[in-house]
Amino acid sequence: MNDSDPIRSIHIAGTDPVFRAVPVNDQTPSGDQIALAAGFSSDDYSYVLQMRDNGELEDVRSRESVPLSDGQRFIVALSDRSYRLAFAGGPLDWPARFITAGTLRKLKGVAADKSIYLEKTDEPDFPLDEDDVIDLDEDGVESFKAGKLAGPKKQTVRVKHLGELETVRFKAESGTTLQSIWDRAYEELDVMRNERDVFQAETDVGTVSLMDHLDLPLETAQQEGLCDKKFEIAARTGGA
């Protein structure tokens, strides 16, 4: 796009942050205009942050106008307060009490070959998994940094036993096979395996059988679109 061409859309997310495109007509919208574009009303306590192209995250006041040439991605959330944290020594105000390491990675553009660490004063800095949730309402200002990748990457998986109507969650390394996740689910559920049980994935497009893919590592199965992080143990239907 030529520098003189108008920017016709911005990308808005909540505290996920999962972005969606929203059309705009103003090249210098105000905080109120951005909140309205996100679907909030003028009576809502909306908090707007601009993710600038230089990596900075700046709050945008309701009547403050910001040039879209500085960045077209915005975080918009309902909040009447913000929570101060620090990343790599720089302050960051966040419109929610909780934040995950995965969200910090997206906000600060941390590469996949780095880990997010929670900095400690009297003990070693603590490496965080992507799904770890940090409470920003604790005493003091929580401080984070990017650092050397700390061991195998872990994910929180969920396994639902459809017969027992029970669900368990546990962390699994990305290299863990689907068979190992299935086996561990029985231990966590404290139930016996039935010979008619099958292992399947719960996905956005429906249920996917994993019985022919049990030797695959979790990360590979995800890359092939077989699963995400939600699984089910079901009873085999039909004949033996």
Side-chain angles (χ1 to χ4, degrees), residues 66-235:
V66 292
L68 295 183
S69 56
D70 286 347
Q72 293 104 55
R73 293 192 299 167
F74 295 87
I75 303 291
V76 186
L78 285 178
S79 181
D80 61 354
R81 70 195 67 186
S82 63
Y83 296 83
R84 174 63 58 92
L85 61 95
F87 193 94
L92 190 159
D93 292 315
W94 186 241
R97 175 178 172 179
F98 301 98
I99 194 168
T100 67
T103 295
L104 278 170
R105 181 182 300 280
K106 291 179 181 178
L107 292 176
K108 304 306 292 184
V110 177
D113 61 353
K114 300 286 185 181
S115 285
I116 304 293
Y117 286 79
L118 175 61
E119 294 186 297
K120 298 288 188 178
T121 302
D122 300 321
E123 54 186 290
D125 296 339
F126 184 76
L128 299 170
D129 293 329
E130 296 297 285
D131 297 321
D132 283 346
V133 178
I134 299 91
D135 187 350
L136 302 177
D137 199 31
E138 301 290 342
D139 291 339
V141 175
E142 299 290 7
S143 184
F144 305 87
K145 69 177 184 180
K148 183 179 178 181
L149 192 64
K153 183 179 177 182
K154 293 184 178 181
Q155 304 181 40
T156 299
V157 298
R158 188 194 78 177
V159 183
K160 181 192 301 182
H161 195 299
L162 300 183
E164 299 290 334
L165 300 179
E166 296 286 345
T167 300
V168 291
R169 291 175 174 82
F170 53 87
K171 291 187 180 297
E173 294 179 0
S174 295
T176 303
T177 65
L178 299 180
Q179 179 71 62
S180 296
I181 293 174
W182 189 16
D183 293 341
R184 181 173 172 186
Y186 287 105
E187 298 176 10
E188 299 289 337
L189 288 162
D190 195 23
V191 298
M192 296 291 293
R193 185 194 302 264
N194 187 289
E195 63 180 10
R196 297 186 64 82
D197 284 351
V198 295
F199 197 48
Q200 58 194 33
E202 179 186 345
T203 72
D204 292 337
V205 296
T207 300
V208 177
S209 174
L210 301 174
M211 298 304 291
D212 293 331
H213 310 283
L214 295 175
D215 290 337
L216 286 180
L218 173 60
E219 189 171 40
T220 302
Q222 291 170 331
Q223 291 171 348
E224 294 184 6
L226 295 170
C227 64
D228 185 19
K229 302 177 185 179
K230 297 179 181 179
F231 302 91
E232 296 174 340
I233 298 173

